[in-house]
Amino acid sequence: MSTIEFAAPVATRLRLTARGRRVLAWLVALPVVAALAVGVISGGSALASREPGAAAGSFEMVTVMAGESLWSIAEEVAPQDDPRDVVDAIMRLNTLPGAQVSAGQRLAIPAEYTSGE
């Protein structure tokens, strides 16, 4: 009878081809892209807060006319008050980043500065 000899397994070195590297990079990047997409899509929820906001009837809406500024609106709606305080209140109520407004823009005016007519 003849004896069968088995050769010792040869350790092969794993070789990663260019295509394999692209697939691996894609698999690693996929969760990152998915997380960014979810973040972008749900980005509007960052503006939400638990604060109740302004109650109905606590402000009056006005439309900015051509040539008007927050200062001129403040002087018009509350001539007896310091325009700086009125401008600040309007900016806070409307969450404006600055004092720039444009024609046609709608602004909420705090009720304390409206005539209540």
Side-chain angles (χ1 to χ4, degrees), residues 25-35:
W26 184 81
L27 288 174
V28 170
L30 185 64
V32 174
V33 171

Side-chain angles (χ1 to χ4, degrees), residues 7 12 14 16 30 37 41 43 48 50 56 59 73 78-79 82-83 85-86 90-91 100 107:
T12 59
L14 178 64
L16 197 56
L30 185 64
I41 290 170
R50 294 182 187 262
F59 60 91
I73 293 170
D82 186 352
D85 295 334
V86 181
I90 294 171
M91 287 177 62
Q100 299 290 45
L107 295 174

Side-chain angles (χ1 to χ4, degrees), residues 35-45:
L36 284 173
V38 168
V40 167
I41 290 170
S42 66
S45 65

Side-chain angles (χ1 to χ4, degrees), residues 6-69:
F6 292 100
V10 178
T12 59
R13 186 170 163 224
L14 178 64
R15 297 188 70 183
L16 197 56
T17 64
R19 181 178 178 192
R21 284 191 294 271
R22 284 193 301 266
V23 169
L24 185 61
W26 184 81
L27 288 174
V28 170
L30 185 64
V32 174
V33 171
L36 284 173
V38 168
V40 167
I41 290 170
S42 66
S45 65
L47 298 175
S49 68
R50 294 182 187 262
E51 294 181 26
S58 65
F59 60 91
E60 183 178 302
M61 297 299 291
V62 298
T63 303
V64 178
M65 299 307 216
E68 283 188 317
S69 65

Side-chain angles (χ1 to χ4, degrees), residues 72-95:
S72 65
I73 293 170
E75 288 179 328
E76 182 181 327
V77 298
Q80 70 284 0
D81 293 305
D82 186 352
R84 293 173 292 193
D85 295 334
V86 181
V87 167
D88 183 55
I90 294 171
M91 287 177 62
R92 278 187 282 116
L93 180 61
N94 293 280
T95 60

